[in-house]
Amino acid sequence: MSSNFRGANISSPSVYCTDAHNRKYPQFKQDEIFGLQDAFRKLDVDDKGYLDEATTIKAAQNTERQPYDVVRQALKEVELDSSRRVELDDYIGV
């Protein structure tokens, strides 16, 4: 099954993590990016290629033990578009 991710047709979730992610987030090792990708994929149960804000906040609070206000500020810093959808790049940025 294919999904639409940032305008690209993706037939396998394993292609989410590319060299572009490594260049964009040099602070993360490749295995950390794969871990974030895996966490994102587990939260994206409908395979839509994005999460809603509430799901992202709850996940960050549970996995990172971050307070609500810290997570909300992080979401503001990644500058979500008007749809307020959190895509993989946004999720890594949080």
Side-chain angles (χ1 to χ4, degrees), residues 5-6 16 21 24-25 27-28 32-44 49-65 71 74-81 84-94:
F5 178 72
R6 294 238 182 224
Y16 281 176
H21 288 115
K24 188 171 182 179
Y25 302 103
Q27 70 271 28
F28 294 116
E32 292 172 316
I33 293 175
F34 281 125
L36 290 168
Q37 169 197 341
D38 188 48
F40 179 88
R41 196 175 40 206
K42 286 177 184 175
L43 293 169
D44 182 18
Y50 64 85
L51 307 172
D52 60 39
E53 276 186 282
T55 300
T56 305
I57 291 169
K58 189 173 182 177
Q61 286 178 301
N62 291 336
T63 60
E64 301 296 324
R65 305 284 186 233
V71 179
L75 284 171
K76 287 179 184 178
E77 290 173 10
V78 296
E79 297 178 14
L80 301 178
D81 62 18
R84 308 305 294 165
R85 293 177 177 170
V86 180
E87 296 175 348
L88 179 59
D89 280 346
D90 304 319
Y91 185 78
I92 291 172
V94 173

